[in-house]
Amino acid sequence: MRHIAVIGSGPAGYYTAEACQKQFGDAVRVDILDRLPVPFGLIRSGVAPDHQAIKGVSRRYEAVALTDNVRFVGNVMVGVDITVAELMELYDAVVLATGAPSDRPLALPGADLPGVIGSAAFVGWYNGHPDHAGLAPPLGGTDAVVIGNGNVALDVARILAKSRAEFSGSDIVSPALDALGGAGIRTITLLGRRGPAQIAMTPKELAELALLERAEPVVDPADLPSIAGDAELEPGLRKTLGHLRRFSAGRSGKPIAIRFAFFSQPVAIEGSARVERVIVERTRIDASGAAIGTGERHAVPASLVIACIGYRTPRIAGVPYDDAAGRFANEEGRILPRLYAVGWARRGPSGTIGTNRPDGFAIAEKIAADIPGDSGRVGRPGLDALLGERGIDVVTFRDWQQIDAAEVAARRGDAPREKFTSIPDMLGARTL
Ligand code: NAP
C-alpha cells in the first residue's frame, strides 16, 4: 500500500488523485487536504461564474472523490493545523497542489492607492471566495483600467461589462451581482504592454466580447498588423487577429466601451486619496518580442484599477521556494525526496485546466519510480488521530455534499447555486 497526501483540491489535486488510482489501483490511499471546507479550488473560485460549462469538469473530480481509496479532508490548513514535516512522517509521498492564489505584486508607484485591486481579490470576490468576500471594489466611477492582456483580464473586463440579465444562469454571488448592477462604469481600458500579436487571450473567449448586450470592444486599427502577414501565423493567433480586426470597425453605439490599449505599459498610478489615473508609456516591440518604453506618456482616467498580471504560489514553512518564479523550487515536480509539486504550484500560472491532467499523471509515474513498495507508513489513521488531538473540524466529502445541497437549495432564479462566502456558514450547512 502507498499512502499519498495531496495538498489542494483543485484540478491539479484531483487529476493527481485520479492518476494515482490508475497507477496503483487498489494499492493506494490518497487523502486530498484543502484549507477550505469546499473542494475544487480554481473551478469554484477562479473560473468565471458565467462560464458554467467549464465548471462542469468538477463532476469528473466528484467521481474520483467518491471512490473508496480517495478522501477529501477539508478545512485543514497545511503549515498551520499540520506541518509538511508531519505529513511526510505519515505518508509515503506528499504532493503540493496548492495552485497560485496570490497576486503577483504590481511594482508601480501608487499601486497601494485605494481602488487598485489584484485579480485574485476581484475574481475571488465575484466567485464568493471567503478570503475576498469583504472586498467592496469601488464601482461608482466611470473608468475602469484592467492591466494585462491574458484570459483573466478578459474575464474581468467581461464581468465588469455585463448587465444583470447577462448573469442569468451563472453562479456569481448575489452581493457581487448587486454591486455590479449598480456600477456606473462606461469605459473599461485593457492595458497591454505589448501588441495584438502577443495577446494571451483565447480566441473563443475574445469573440464573446462582441456579443455583450450593452458593451462593445474597441480596437484602434493603427495598432493592428497588416492582414498580408496572417498566412504565416499559427491558427489561434490568426483567429485572434481576425476578432481584433472586427473590433476595429468602429463603435455601434452601445454605452460601454471595452477599449484595447496596445503598446501601453503602466508606469505609475496617481490620485490624491484614491486612484484617479494611470500613467501609461507607449511601447514598441523589440526583435525578442519584449516591450520597450518609448518615453511617450499619457494619463488614462481610472476610478478602479484591476491588475491581472499573473499569480504566485504562497510559501509553506519548510518547503524550498523559487522566489523569482513565485512557486515551489522543483525539478520536474520533485522538490525533496518524497515531496512533489504539481499544477501551478510546480510550473507557475499557465495553461488551461486540462494542462493539469498530464501533470498529475507525470507525478504519479515519478512516485511509482521513487517509492517502489510498501514503506509501512501509517497514512490515514495517523492523520485522523493528529487532527483529532488538535480539535480540527475536518470536513469530509459527504459533508461537502450537504454544503453543496444547501447552496443549490438557496439559489436565486435560474442560478445553479448561491455560494456560501464565509467558512462558518459553510461549516454550519452540514446537517449531521
Ligand atoms: P497570463 O496569461 O500570463 O497573462 C498575464 C498578462 O499580464 C500578460 O498580458 C502579461 O503581459 C501581463 N503582464 C504581466 N506583468 C505585467 C506588468 N508588470 N505590467 C503590465 N502587464 C503585465 O495570465 P492570466 O491572465 O493571469 O491567466 C493565468 C492562466 O489562466 C493562463 O494560462 C490563462 O490562459 C488561464 N485562464 C484561462 C481561462 C480560460 O481558458 N477561459 C480563463 C482565465 C485564466 P506580457 O505578455 O507582456 O508578459
Side-chain angles (χ1 to χ4, degrees):
M1 184 64 67
R2 284 178 185 79
H3 299 283
I4 300 174
V6 175
I7 319 306
S9 67
Y14 269 106
Y15 283 128
T16 300
E18 186 186 352
C20 289
Q21 282 181 328
K22 293 230 161 80
Q23 183 79 38
F24 303 115
D26 286 340
V28 72
R29 295 286 176 272
V30 183
D31 282 352
I32 304 183
L33 284 71
D34 201 292
R35 71 185 184 96
L36 289 184
V38 293
F40 308 140
L42 198 76
I43 301 297
R44 178 180 169 102
S45 305
V47 170
D50 57 342
H51 282 168
Q52 286 297 312
I54 301 178
K55 289 185 190 255
V57 72
S58 61
R59 280 191 288 275
R60 179 187 182 124
Y61 308 150
E62 194 172 294
V64 174
L66 289 171
T67 53
D68 286 341
N69 54 358
V70 174
R71 274 200 321 179
F72 174 69
V73 186
N75 201 34
V76 178
M77 180 74 146
V78 171
V80 175
D81 298 326
I82 187 163
T83 65
V84 168
E86 286 169 329
L87 290 170
M88 301 283 296
E89 283 294 310
L90 296 170
Y91 291 86
D92 297 309
V94 175
V95 184
L96 301 177
T98 48
S102 304
D103 282 307
R104 264 188 62 198
L106 181 65
L108 290 183
D112 54 352
L113 278 170
V116 182
I117 295 168
S119 54
F122 189 70
V123 171
W125 170 70
Y126 62 62
N127 268 329
H129 192 293
D131 286 357
H132 306 295
L135 182 70
L139 296 167
T142 54
D143 300 287
V145 170
V146 177
I147 303 176
N149 266 185
N151 279 320
V152 171
L154 185 56
D155 279 350
V156 163
R158 189 184 67 254
I159 296 290
L160 284 172
K162 275 196 164 180
S163 67
R164 193 177 175 98
E166 288 176 289
F167 285 108
S168 159
S170 84
D171 66 351
I172 187 169
V173 293
S174 287
L177 181 63
D178 293 342
L180 289 164
I185 293 168
R186 285 294 169 268
T187 305
I188 300 160
T189 302
L190 278 159
L191 290 185
R193 61 181 173 182
R194 299 192 291 157
Q198 288 80 31
I199 198 168
M201 298 171 181
T202 313
K204 180 169 168 275
E205 272 90 24
L206 184 61
E208 280 179 55
L209 292 187
L211 307 174
L212 297 174
E213 196 178 285
R214 59 177 192 177
E216 56 192 2
V218 180
V219 169
D220 181 347
D223 286 340
L224 294 170
S226 157
I227 200 164
D230 272 23
E232 312 281 300
L233 303 174
E234 60 88 18
L237 182 54
R238 206 180 309 144
K239 268 192 200 158
T240 295
L241 291 178
H243 294 318
L244 293 174
R245 284 200 187 93
R246 276 187 285 285
F247 298 169
S248 73
R251 299 220 31 195
S252 68
K254 291 182 187 174
I256 300 177
I258 303 174
R259 198 170 69 83
F260 284 80
F262 291 114
F263 308 107
S264 295
Q265 173 167 279
V267 290
I269 298 177
E270 294 180 350
S272 48
R274 41 164 301 100
V275 60
E276 290 171 20
R277 70 197 81 84
V278 180
I279 307 300
V280 169
E281 179 175 20
R282 183 84 183 162
T283 62
R284 61 177 178 80
I285 308 300
D286 73 3
S288 72
I292 308 293
T294 61
E296 187 193 319
R297 292 184 174 194
H298 67 281
V300 178
S303 46
L304 165 69
V305 173
I306 304 176
C308 308
I309 60 167
Y311 298 114
R312 290 171 70 85
T313 297
R315 291 169 185 273
I316 298 179
V319 181
Y321 192 80
D322 179 341
D323 200 40
R327 52 170 164 70
F328 298 118
N330 72 90
E331 284 289 332
E332 294 188 1
R334 292 185 175 98
I335 304 176
L336 293 170
R338 302 192 297 107
L339 180 62
Y340 304 86
V342 70
W344 283 8
R346 174 183 82 77
R347 63 176 203 276
S350 65
T352 63
I353 289 157
T355 315
N356 295 300
R357 193 163 183 268
D359 251 33
F361 279 78
I363 285 300
E365 279 171 20
K366 287 191 173 74
I367 294 172
D370 297 348
I371 304 162
D374 196 330
S375 65
R377 284 197 168 75
V378 57
R380 284 180 180 181
L383 178 74
D384 294 348
L386 207 56
L387 296 177
E389 272 166 31
R390 292 175 186 173
I392 307 299
D393 186 4
V394 169
V395 172
T396 65
F397 203 80
R398 299 275 168 216
D399 292 335
W400 151 245
Q401 288 177 313
Q402 290 165 4
I403 299 169
D404 182 30
E407 288 187 339
V408 172
R411 70 189 180 274
R412 53 166 198 273
D414 61 0
R417 66 180 61 247
E418 182 68 47
K419 287 177 192 166
F420 294 112
T421 62
S422 86
I423 290 176
D425 286 349
M426 291 170 182
L427 296 176
R430 294 170 297 177
T431 50
L432 296 176

